[in-house]
């Protein structure tokens, strides 16, 4: 979900009536489907949004959105056909203006990132930077639906004035705050995730630095499912996740991360989607390189993003980052990060991505 600010702008706009429909993911079983649907519904309800579930757990029936709401515009949060029930896929809305913002700012190139049927069918594909537009020109439709607006996922990080540090369990002001965000791709695609090699090491770090650090374990949500189904089983997975939840100077995070990012001191990760988002905060970030082959997958944007990161290829280098950059605040890459953010990530017109998207819609629909 990258539409918070755009949704708020539409709520205040006299000619938009935005509603959120929760379309459950169907490719990881019924239990996970209901868990994620209810979690999303509760999160949006807490924000006070008008939110509707499209699946009724008691009757097993799906809502006909076209009949009940008849939308003029549909914003999608995912391009993947297998992820959702067929009733909500883009081909069911051929007479509706459809829009898409990537669920993550992309740093690597695979066809599923910008050249699925979805990407070619969507009315407007709002992309992050001119570099992403160049990539999207490889689409079958030659990128004719591409509009460069900036990335709405940055907006809250850029404009939020009041930071909420209550998201951190341990309130000791002496402790530095590190986020560890492992990806789920352990044996597929570019095999970027270091989790299987480092899961015990991070617990050891939390214990050995208990008087200096607190660590937030922020795994990709698919990691748990894959551990349960393909690697560890449910019992071992639950035990590991609970260890983080129970640590005095550790915590488990599986929800919104805006405040977590803004009130942290550093990020350690192997998750491409966080690569650019965290740099917006101006804080140091380390990317864990599992194998040199990973470095072959970057797009031009990805190469520039990784160049603004500290990098580790072993446990000693990771520990050195913690000691030197986080604890001793020796941060020689700050200039590289700031330059990347200013020259690549931020829009030259000074507006947020959400403001640019709304302005574009107004120009196409009302004028």
């Amino acid at each position: 979900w990258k539409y918070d600010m755009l949704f708020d702008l539409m709520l205040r706009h006299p000619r938009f009536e935005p509603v959120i429909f929760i379309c459950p993911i169907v490719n990881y079983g019924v239990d996970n489907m209901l868990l994620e649907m209810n979690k999303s519904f509760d999160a949006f309800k807490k924000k006070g949004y008008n939110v509707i579930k499209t699946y009724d757990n008691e009757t097993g029936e799906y809502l006909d959105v076209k009949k009940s709401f008849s939308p003029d515009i549909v914003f999608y949060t995912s391009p993947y056909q297998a992820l959702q029930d067929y009733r909500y896929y883009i081909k069911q809305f051929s007479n509706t203006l459809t829009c898409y913002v990537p669920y993550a700012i992309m740093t690597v190139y695979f066809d599923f990132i910008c050249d699925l049927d979805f990407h070619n069918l969507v009315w407007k594909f709002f992309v992050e930077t001119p570099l992403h537009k160049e990539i999207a020109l490889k689409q079958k439709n030659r990128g004719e639906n591409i509009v460069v607006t900036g990335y709405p996922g940055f907006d809250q990080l850029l404009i939020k004035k009041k930071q909420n540090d209550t998201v951190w369990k341990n309130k000791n002001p002496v402790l530095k705050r590190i986020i560890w965000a492992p990806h789920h791709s352990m044996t597929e695609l570019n095999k970027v995730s270091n989790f299987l090699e480092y899961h015990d090491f991070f617990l050891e770090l939390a214990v050995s630095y208990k008087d200096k650090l607190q660590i937030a374990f922020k795994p990709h949500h698919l990691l748990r499912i894959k551990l349960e189904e393909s690697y560890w089983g449910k019992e071992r997975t639950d035990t590991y996740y609970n260890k983080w939840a129970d640590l005095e100077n550790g915590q488990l995070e599986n929800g919104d991360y805006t405040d977590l990012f803004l009130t942290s001191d550093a990020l350690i990760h192997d998750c491409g989607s966080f690569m650019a988002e965290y740099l917006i905060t101006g804080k140091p970030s380390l990317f864990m390189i599992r194998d040199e082959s990973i470095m072959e997958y970057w797009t031009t944007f990805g190469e520039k993003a990784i160049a603004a990161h500290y990098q580790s290829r072993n446990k000693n280098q990771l520990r050195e980052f913690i000691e030197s950059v986080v604890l001793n605040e020796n941060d020689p890459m700050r200039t590289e990060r700031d330059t990347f953010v200013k020259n690549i990530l931020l829009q030259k017109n000074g507006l947020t991505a959400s403001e640019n998207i709304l302005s574009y819609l107004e120009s196409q629909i009302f004028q």
Side-chain angles (χ1 to χ4, degrees):
W1 171 259
K2 304 298 177 184
Y3 296 121
D4 249 9
M5 186 170 169
L6 180 61
F7 193 84
D8 286 337
L9 289 173
M10 287 183 170
L11 281 175
R12 298 196 296 267
H13 196 285
R15 301 186 70 179
F16 286 107
E17 180 189 356
V19 177
I20 298 172
F21 289 92
I22 306 293
C23 303
I25 56 174
V26 297
N27 59 339
Y28 283 102
V30 174
D31 290 344
N32 183 71
M33 177 182 98
L34 296 177
L35 173 70
E36 294 295 339
M37 179 180 71
N38 291 327
K39 187 172 75 172
S40 298
F41 180 83
D42 292 343
F44 289 126
K45 205 69 178 174
K46 188 176 180 181
K47 291 175 180 284
Y49 290 162
N50 186 359
V51 56
I52 298 170
K53 295 179 184 178
T54 58
Y55 178 78
D56 189 318
N57 186 34
E58 294 183 2
T59 65
E61 295 181 351
Y62 285 89
L63 179 69
D64 186 336
V65 174
K66 288 188 290 186
K67 185 176 181 180
S68 67
F69 188 66
S70 187
D72 299 298
I73 307 172
V74 172
F75 273 83
Y76 279 89
T77 59
S78 169
Y80 305 129
Q81 184 169 0
L83 198 68
Q84 58 204 310
D85 184 86
Y86 75 91
R87 296 167 180 82
Y88 309 115
Y89 190 59
I90 192 169
K91 291 180 180 179
Q92 301 295 322
F93 290 87
S94 57
N95 294 320
T96 305
L97 296 178
T98 53
C99 301
Y100 176 60
V101 165
Y103 62 86
I105 186 164
M106 300 303 180
T107 54
V108 296
Y109 181 79
F110 296 103
D111 285 346
F112 70 81
I113 287 176
C114 66
D115 202 21
L116 297 174
D117 285 348
F118 175 92
H119 300 106
N120 290 278
L121 290 171
V122 68
W123 173 55
K124 296 301 173 185
F125 184 176
F126 297 110
V127 300
E128 306 94 316
T129 70
L131 293 175
H132 288 88
K133 180 177 181 177
E134 291 179 19
I135 297 167
L137 294 177
K138 298 177 183 179
Q139 288 177 207
K140 296 179 186 68
N141 68 6
R142 300 293 185 268
E144 65 180 23
N145 56 352
I146 297 297
V147 182
V148 179
T149 56
Y151 191 53
F154 296 155
D155 292 352
Q156 292 285 4
L157 295 169
L158 287 169
I159 67 169
K160 191 159 188 176
K161 306 301 182 186
K162 187 177 180 181
Q163 299 178 8
N164 177 20
D165 64 2
T166 61
V167 294
W168 293 89
K169 183 172 70 178
N170 194 314
K171 301 300 186 281
N172 185 349
V174 173
L175 301 181
K176 294 287 188 180
R177 298 161 170 172
I178 290 180
I179 303 166
W180 172 39
H183 199 257
H184 66 88
S185 297
M186 295 172 281
T187 58
E188 63 270 59
L189 297 177
N190 53 351
K191 302 177 180 65
V192 71
S193 177
N194 293 263
F195 179 81
L196 292 178
E197 294 86 355
Y198 278 83
H199 63 277
D200 283 334
F201 183 68
F202 273 92
L203 284 174
E204 294 169 10
L205 289 173
V207 173
S208 61
Y209 288 98
K210 65 179 181 179
D211 297 325
K212 297 179 179 180
L213 291 179
Q214 56 177 319
I215 302 176
F217 175 44
K218 181 75 177 75
H220 192 289
H221 72 279
L222 289 180
L223 178 63
R224 186 165 196 158
I225 298 171
K226 290 185 177 181
L227 289 173
E228 290 179 356
E229 295 185 353
S230 304
Y231 295 94
W232 287 0
K234 190 174 190 313
E235 183 177 352
R236 184 182 175 187
T237 303
D238 286 346
T239 298
Y240 183 81
Y241 275 60
N242 289 338
K243 284 181 180 178
W244 281 104
D246 295 338
L247 272 176
E248 182 182 349
N249 64 320
Q251 59 196 70
L252 172 63
E253 294 292 330
N254 62 2
D256 182 76
Y257 50 84
T258 299
D259 287 315
L260 196 72
F261 273 20
L262 290 173
T263 57
S264 64
D265 293 298
L267 172 70
I268 297 174
H269 72 117
D270 49 29
C271 190
S273 59
F274 278 173
M275 193 176 290
E277 278 190 74
Y278 192 77
L279 293 181
I280 284 287
T281 69
K283 298 167 184 177
S285 182
L286 177 135
F287 192 86
M288 301 171 64
I289 297 171
R290 183 180 183 185
D291 185 88
E292 293 307 316
S293 63
I294 292 167
M295 304 299 279
E296 300 171 5
Y297 290 88
W298 303 124
T299 60
T300 301
F301 176 85
E303 290 175 351
K304 293 180 182 295
I306 193 70
H309 273 69
Y310 295 93
Q311 300 172 17
S312 71
R313 289 168 170 81
N314 55 56
K315 293 175 181 178
N316 287 335
Q317 291 175 347
L318 196 155
R319 192 183 289 271
E320 173 61 22
F321 171 77
I322 292 173
E323 290 277 359
S324 178
V325 180
V326 181
L327 295 179
N328 294 328
E329 300 182 1
N330 177 26
D331 184 12
M333 293 199 69
R334 183 174 185 88
T335 299
E336 284 92 332
R337 293 197 305 276
D338 291 346
T339 299
F340 175 75
V341 170
K342 179 181 178 182
N343 293 342
I344 304 295
L345 299 185
L346 299 183
Q347 294 301 292
K348 306 307 179 191
N349 64 2
L351 299 178
T352 64
S354 297
E355 290 170 331
N356 284 329
I357 291 172
L358 188 70
S359 176
Y360 182 84
L361 292 177
E362 289 177 323
S363 71
Q364 297 297 301
I365 297 169
F366 301 137
Q367 295 178 13

